[in-house]
Amino acid sequence: MNKKLPVVLSALVLLSALSVSYAYATPVEKEKRGVIVTDAVETNYVDPDQLVLTVSIETQAKKAKDAMDENTEKASAVVNALKAKVNANEVSTSNISVYPVYNYKNKVNSLEYYRAQNEITVKTSKINIGGDLISTALENGANRVTGITFELKDKSRYCNASMQKSLETAKAKAELIANTLGIQIAGVKRVTSNCSTNSYSAYNGVRMLKASASSMDAAGEASTVEVPVEIKKIPMTSTTSVEFFVK
């Protein structure tokens, strides 16, 4: 008498902006099914569509209030100058701090001065004006360029294209193996695919720059130098592994 074997089907789907995993258990069979495992890595280079620049204004004085008052005046000038270059809502204050600076001498800590800092961030789609924004900030009171990066507003859109390409490559490899060995692909056992964005800086962008506030011109007076900013394509890399059933 034939007994129907129970079929156990379970699915696990893990979705995120940059990764997908899919697996399922197969029906119980009399014989173990063979598999082909293929891997694929595909990289697409994408033009960035967003520039993120962070500059800082640092001031110091014997009193905390004096340091902050001077900092506030300079920061306001920097913000207004930057807003004239981009949309006003693309400029924001990202951090403000004031703290004492001590000098340790003869086993004694003595208060030297107070330092005030104000970080201003510009996030704009005008990616070709990075050098101009840096010069503008330095000319109006900023004395440090913390970093400049180039990013993508929607990484998932580009990751999807990269993942599709790697999946197609993994499938093509499996078909080549199957055809060469004279066997047939009979389904998919497991798929793992993820996408990542490589970076060219210490953080999450393409490039980080450091800039001094000014240089000396031929007459010996301070003059701001526009920092050259190179725009590079962003690599979107998808890594895929697929296990195919064969018969």
Side-chain angles (χ1 to χ4, degrees):
M1 178 173 127
N2 292 328
K3 293 184 179 180
K4 292 185 179 179
L5 295 175
V7 177
V8 181
L9 180 63
S10 63
L12 173 63
V13 180
L14 176 62
L15 298 175
S16 70
L18 302 180
S19 65
V20 174
S21 180
Y22 173 70
Y24 60 87
T26 59
V28 178
E29 296 179 335
K30 293 181 179 180
E31 297 181 2
K32 186 177 180 180
R33 301 174 69 180
V35 296
I36 293 175
V37 181
T38 58
D39 299 313
V41 178
E42 296 289 349
T43 300
N44 290 337
Y45 290 87
V46 183
D47 289 320
D49 55 15
Q50 183 168 258
L51 178 149
V52 181
L53 170 68
T54 303
V55 298
S56 178
I57 300 94
E58 296 185 4
T59 54
Q60 61 188 49
K62 290 294 184 181
K63 295 182 179 180
K65 183 178 183 303
D66 293 340
M68 183 55 74
D69 286 346
E70 181 185 355
N71 193 285
T72 299
E73 182 178 352
K74 290 184 176 181
S76 296
V78 173
V79 167
N80 291 333
L82 291 173
K83 284 184 176 180
K85 298 287 183 177
V86 297
N87 296 330
N89 61 0
E90 294 178 331
V91 182
S92 62
T93 298
S94 49
N95 184 54
I96 296 178
S97 63
V98 57
Y99 54 90
V101 177
Y102 293 92
N103 181 28
Y104 183 77
K105 188 176 182 180
N106 297 327
K107 298 182 179 181
V108 177
N109 266 334
S110 59
L111 177 64
E112 288 289 299
Y113 54 84
Y114 287 89
R115 175 177 293 157
Q117 292 181 318
N118 190 327
E119 281 191 352
I120 297 168
T121 298
V122 180
K123 186 177 289 188
T124 179
S125 58
K126 297 179 180 180
I127 66 172
N128 296 311
I129 64 170
D132 186 22
L133 291 176
I134 292 174
S135 296
T136 298
L138 297 178
E139 288 168 357
N140 286 275
N143 46 21
R144 176 175 294 182
V145 177
T146 305
I148 180 169
T149 63
F150 297 93
E151 302 175 347
L152 295 171
K153 294 177 183 178
D154 184 7
K155 295 177 184 172
S156 62
R157 178 163 65 97
Y158 298 100
C159 267
N160 289 343
S162 181
M163 288 171 65
Q164 181 178 353
K165 190 175 180 182
S166 67
L167 286 165
E168 290 172 350
T169 300
K171 180 182 177 182
K173 286 182 177 181
E175 290 174 343
L176 174 62
I177 295 171
N179 291 336
T180 302
L181 297 179
I183 55 181
Q184 294 180 350
I185 293 176
V188 176
K189 178 181 180 182
R190 183 182 300 273
V191 179
T192 301
S193 188
N194 64 77
C195 180
S196 62
T197 304
N198 295 332
S199 62
Y200 287 98
S201 73
Y203 299 100
N204 64 342
V206 174
R207 189 178 179 191
M208 178 170 286
L209 303 177
K210 296 289 185 180
S212 59
S214 62
S215 64
M216 303 304 291
D217 60 18
E221 297 185 6
S223 62
T224 302
V225 177
E226 181 171 324
V227 179
V229 178
E230 180 184 1
I231 302 174
K232 295 183 179 181
K233 290 181 178 292
I234 298 176
M236 306 295 291
T237 301
S238 176
T239 303
T240 292
S241 178
V242 185
E243 295 181 41
F244 296 90
F245 284 122
V246 295
K247 62 180 179 178

